[in-house]
Amino acid sequence: MPCAVPPQLDPENTGFIGVETFASLVHSHELPLDPAKLDMLVALAQGNDEGQVCYQELVDLISSKRSSSFKRAIANGQRALPRDVLLDETGLGFYKRFVRYVAYEILPCEMDRRWYFYQHRACPPPIFMAAVTLTQIIVFLCYGARLNKWVLQTYHPEYMKSPLVYHPGHRARAWRFLTYMFMHVGLEQLGFNALLQLMIGVPLEMVHGILRISFLYLAGVLAGSLTVSITDMRAPLVGGSGGVYALCSAHLANVVMRLLSTSRGCLPVSSEVGRAVWLRFSPPLPASGPQPSFMAHLAGAIVGISMGLTILRSYEESLQDQCGWWVLLLSYGTFLLFAVF
């Protein structure tokens, strides 16, 4: 329900407040407002023909709530927003400079960048991607020490018999649909996934939060194992590539207009896909079974592109209020049921 406008701010009961009236109120009461909010207040006024601000949009701005209508109202007057404030700001500490770098790398919109920079809090830290990467490294080191195998491509029979590895023949053991993400066949695959998880996953988690990024990552992992179970039924599956490709493709889809970032991300991703395809169809090593499947890469990419356009583009907006979010959940759930049955 829309908030009622105090009579002293809106004597004519129009539902709008003059920006000068509110500015004088802020000045007289010395209300602390983030610079980004003050700039957005001006942008809201610029977006209105009479230089006024809708009271409900003002309440949303002060309470840090944003919606699609709020962003559209800001976009109408976005020319009033300074474009180079963050880049020109001096005297920042190391962490704030890192936050500014994350804002410019992850968010394609200047309004979102400045909002994130001034709203960012160090707590809670991005623990999900860090914990997943650390666990993957520990598991690899434990198996490497146990099997005394430290080459780039480790297809040791005992390694591939691990209860964590996914294989369509063992799909009744449901935990394997997710735990395969902790196993890697060599330093090359582990290094590639760990690098992308730290360079892309951690900044994404800093901006979008642990819930959205963990959901996107695990959705890619689960889609990868289920896709292998119906398309490549003789091959095992190891590595977190399903989740990694979900994050990378979601990020690239979200910033597709930024050609530099897109080309920079496509090169290592495409090279990893080529390597996985070549390994899958290359002659198997003696005393080993089929090579690990590459279908998880493609499944993760599809999940990332489809979900990323909604999850990452809707920065600081409620997902449950968007029709597209429920359509995506229904589509993903339909795929899961189809693959399971």
Side-chain angles (χ1 to χ4, degrees), residues 46-119:
Q46 291 286 337
N48 183 272
D49 294 336
E50 299 180 1
Q52 294 179 323
V53 179
C54 174
Y55 183 70
Q56 184 59 47
E57 292 172 352
L58 176 61
V59 172
D60 292 341
L61 174 63
I62 302 302
S63 61
S64 298
K65 294 180 180 179
R66 305 208 294 171
S67 63
S68 298
S69 60
F70 178 89
K71 295 186 73 173
R72 284 195 299 269
I74 288 290
N76 290 335
Q78 196 170 355
R79 287 188 295 271
L81 289 174
R83 296 290 180 173
D84 54 353
V85 172
L86 292 184
L87 293 179
D88 290 347
E89 191 165 349
T90 59
L92 298 178
F94 173 79
Y95 183 73
K96 291 301 291 184
R97 290 199 302 270
F98 176 68
V99 171
R100 181 174 61 181
Y101 167 79
V102 169
Y104 274 87
E105 283 295 312
I106 299 301
L107 296 170
C109 176
E110 182 69 18
M111 176 188 69
D112 289 338
R113 294 168 184 165
R114 300 180 65 246
W115 180 281
Y116 168 73
F117 179 79
Y118 289 112
Q119 292 286 112

Side-chain angles (χ1 to χ4, degrees), residues 14 64 89 91 95 108 132 139 162 182 197 203 242 256 264 269 272 274 293 314 339:
T14 62
S64 298
E89 191 165 349
Y95 183 73
V132 168
V139 170
S162 168
F182 298 118
Q197 286 171 177
V256 67
R264 185 171 55 194
V269 166
E272 168 64 11
S293 177
S314 304

Side-chain angles (χ1 to χ4, degrees), residues 178-189:
L178 292 175
T179 57
Y180 78 90
M181 71 179 184
F182 298 118
M183 303 290 290
H184 291 81
V185 294
L187 290 173
E188 183 180 355
Q189 186 188 32

Side-chain angles (χ1 to χ4, degrees), residues 23-36:
S24 62
L25 182 66
V26 171
H27 179 72
S28 61
H29 290 271
E30 297 183 353
L31 298 177
L33 283 181
D34 293 330

